[in-house]
Amino acid sequence: MKKTNKIVSLLLGGIMLFSFFGCKTAEQTESSGTPSSSEQNSGHDTDIEATEEKGKYLVKDNATEYVVVIPEAADANEKLAAQEFIYFFEQATGIKLSLETDTNKRFNKDSKYFSIGKTTLFRQAGLSVKDGFTNDGVIIKTVEKSVFLCGGSGSGSLYSVYDYLKVLFGYEYYGNGCYSLDTNVTDVAFYSVDYEYEPSFSYRVATDFYQSHDGSNLYRTRCADFLSGLVSIGSAKVHNCFAYVENEIADHANYWYSTGGGNLCFTARGNKQEYDALVNTVAKSVTDVLKYDRENQYMLIALMDGVAACGCEACKTLQVKYKANSAAMLLLCNDVRVKIDEWFAGDGAEYARDNFYFGFLAYMDSETAPAQYNEVTGKYEGIDGIKARDGVCVMYAPIYHDFLRPLTAKVNEATSHNFRGWAALTDALLLWGYDKNFQSYYTIYDTLGNVQDFARLAKECGVDYYFMQGNTQATEKAEADWGYLHQYIYSKLAWNTEY
């Protein structure tokens, strides 16, 4: 039995050498002789079990009868998956596989297919994708002599290709075009595989600019681009509260501006008429955007960066009642969500969708959750019953967390409280964490000893969107602070927190 299982310390050693000396691409790397099944690879973070079937080969004496098959109506990711599989297969064996569509194809016990995506062959072989399987989830199945690489969507099929290449050739992607792969392989055994995996987080967002500036870095590290999935209002996805009211605020200046003038007052100074107008204005801005953005899933209203929240009497009253400035934002988002749902049920029916969430960024003055731990039930709950409505999300951004220290450090006690508090208040929790000294990009910022426990806590709290902000500014700073190593480790933990 061939069981892939990564030993983290060995990988770290390898990636550190890569950071110092660079890394050859597979085209530049040669192996001596033909790797045996035990030599080809010893590890992968998702723990795939593959059993060699004696006498059955994918490649024998540098020849193969296998072809790659994709759906006739393959999406972009399924096409990319086939392209990647053919490319790396050729790098390993020297054999360029043929690519065909599933039109008029029939599966039988003697078929020799690498089926990628939801082909007709996939169904003919008696396979299916279970209900609720996440888009990026991976499915690798062998039936008779054929191999099926599929997923919850085209992206899952792409990631199944990478996992299967790991089984066959020890493929591992490190970043910026650097990968390891067995080469000069003349014989490839057939491995029986029955494997499904769903990643720890549905959205895994690129950590650094130098990860996202090259598209291949994104899909090979299984990450989305910077703040992908968030809806923009104007040109801003966060720190954008004024963008929601820019055409109306002049007529409501005495109520909608915060006491310091640099943020919105989310209570409209306690004036019911003005508050209703604020809710309607924000909701109208949301629904206007939804008419042309029908893809992105999350839309946030956020305080302006570095500017204090409102200190009016109405906001203070809520802060005292709920022990958090964030309560005013949560209550406003709840009321705005009511208006969005009314629009979905009426004039906006053609734009209605179940996967849209409106919420706010819990950041700086709004970071603390209006929640408390109930000693009797052993659970967190909203103070005085406060809770997010269905369809209201919270992106938790623990800017005051010390990522250089473990979660158990006293300075980080608030993080665990807020994480679990927000998890109790919303079913749609997003994370914006931090992995850089933003005052000095070249200063060593050694967070790697603490990142796994942080990722585990995020998963425990049901985080769906995982983003750890690193250097998002400039490529020339990529090598500073073990940048490539951070990129690699964070992408692996975002895929599997138990890596």
Side-chain angles (χ1 to χ4, degrees), residues 240-254:
N240 56 6
C241 59
F242 287 124
Y244 286 88
V245 298
E246 60 183 358
N247 295 325
E248 304 290 337
I249 195 168
D251 295 331
H252 304 269
N254 291 334

Side-chain angles (χ1 to χ4, degrees), residues 110-378:
D110 294 317
S111 301
K112 293 185 177 180
Y113 296 126
F114 292 121
S115 169
I116 296 177
K118 297 174 183 176
T119 64
T120 55
L121 299 171
F122 183 77
R123 295 188 291 275
Q124 291 170 21
L127 302 175
S128 62
V129 180
K130 65 185 179 184
D131 291 342
F133 198 66
T134 59
N135 285 340
D136 290 352
V138 166
I139 299 171
I140 304 175
K141 306 275 187 178
T142 53
V143 182
E144 299 294 348
K145 298 177 182 178
S146 289
V147 179
F148 296 88
L149 307 175
C150 194
S153 69
S155 58
S157 299
L158 174 61
Y159 303 145
S160 74
V161 161
Y162 297 137
D163 279 353
Y164 190 58
L165 287 168
K166 185 80 170 184
V167 172
L168 297 183
F169 308 118
Y171 168 82
E172 182 72 23
Y173 187 75
Y174 299 102
N176 283 54
C178 175
Y179 58 88
S180 60
L181 187 80
D182 295 327
T183 57
N184 297 331
V185 180
T186 58
D187 294 335
V188 181
F190 184 99
Y191 291 95
S192 176
V193 182
D194 183 3
Y195 175 74
E196 295 185 4
Y197 177 75
E198 295 181 88
S200 296
F201 305 104
S202 298
Y203 272 93
R204 302 164 310 283
V205 181
T207 301
D208 294 288
F209 180 92
Y210 46 90
Q211 183 180 7
S212 62
H213 80 282
D214 180 346
S216 65
N217 274 333
L218 291 175
Y219 53 77
R220 289 176 181 173
T221 57
R222 313 183 195 212
C223 290
D225 203 355
F226 179 64
L227 297 187
S228 177
L230 300 188
V231 179
S232 292
I233 181 162
S235 60
K237 297 183 177 183
V238 292
H239 309 313
N240 56 6
C241 59
F242 287 124
Y244 286 88
V245 298
E246 60 183 358
N247 295 325
E248 304 290 337
I249 195 168
D251 295 331
H252 304 269
N254 291 334
Y255 298 93
W256 291 6
Y257 277 110
S258 66
T259 47
N263 263 313
L264 275 185
C265 173
F266 289 86
T267 66
R269 304 298 180 95
N271 183 294
K272 178 66 165 58
Q273 182 177 344
E274 290 290 332
Y275 178 77
D276 290 345
L278 177 61
V279 168
N280 289 330
T281 299
V282 173
K284 177 66 162 53
S285 294
V286 173
T287 56
D288 284 349
V289 170
L290 291 181
K291 291 176 183 177
Y292 63 82
D293 189 331
R294 306 182 71 167
E295 179 179 354
N296 290 303
Q297 190 170 349
Y298 303 103
M299 189 169 185
L300 304 173
I301 187 169
L303 296 174
M304 304 309 291
D305 199 5
V307 181
C310 183
C312 75
E313 289 304 314
C315 288
K316 285 181 179 178
T317 298
L318 289 181
Q319 195 279 332
V320 171
K321 179 179 180 179
Y322 295 106
K323 301 180 182 179
N325 286 319
S326 59
M329 299 184 74
L330 178 54
L331 293 171
L332 179 89
C333 288
N334 280 346
D335 291 335
V336 170
R337 182 71 214 203
V338 171
K339 299 296 182 181
I340 296 170
D341 289 339
E342 289 174 354
W343 182 73
F344 278 162
D347 293 342
E350 65 179 292
Y351 305 103
R353 48 192 172 105
D354 293 333
N355 70 339
F356 173 74
Y357 296 87
F358 176 73
F360 69 99
L361 181 70
Y363 171 76
M364 298 193 78
D365 278 359
S366 60
E367 180 178 329
T368 300
Q372 60 191 2
Y373 182 72
N374 187 319
E375 297 285 352
V376 176
T377 63

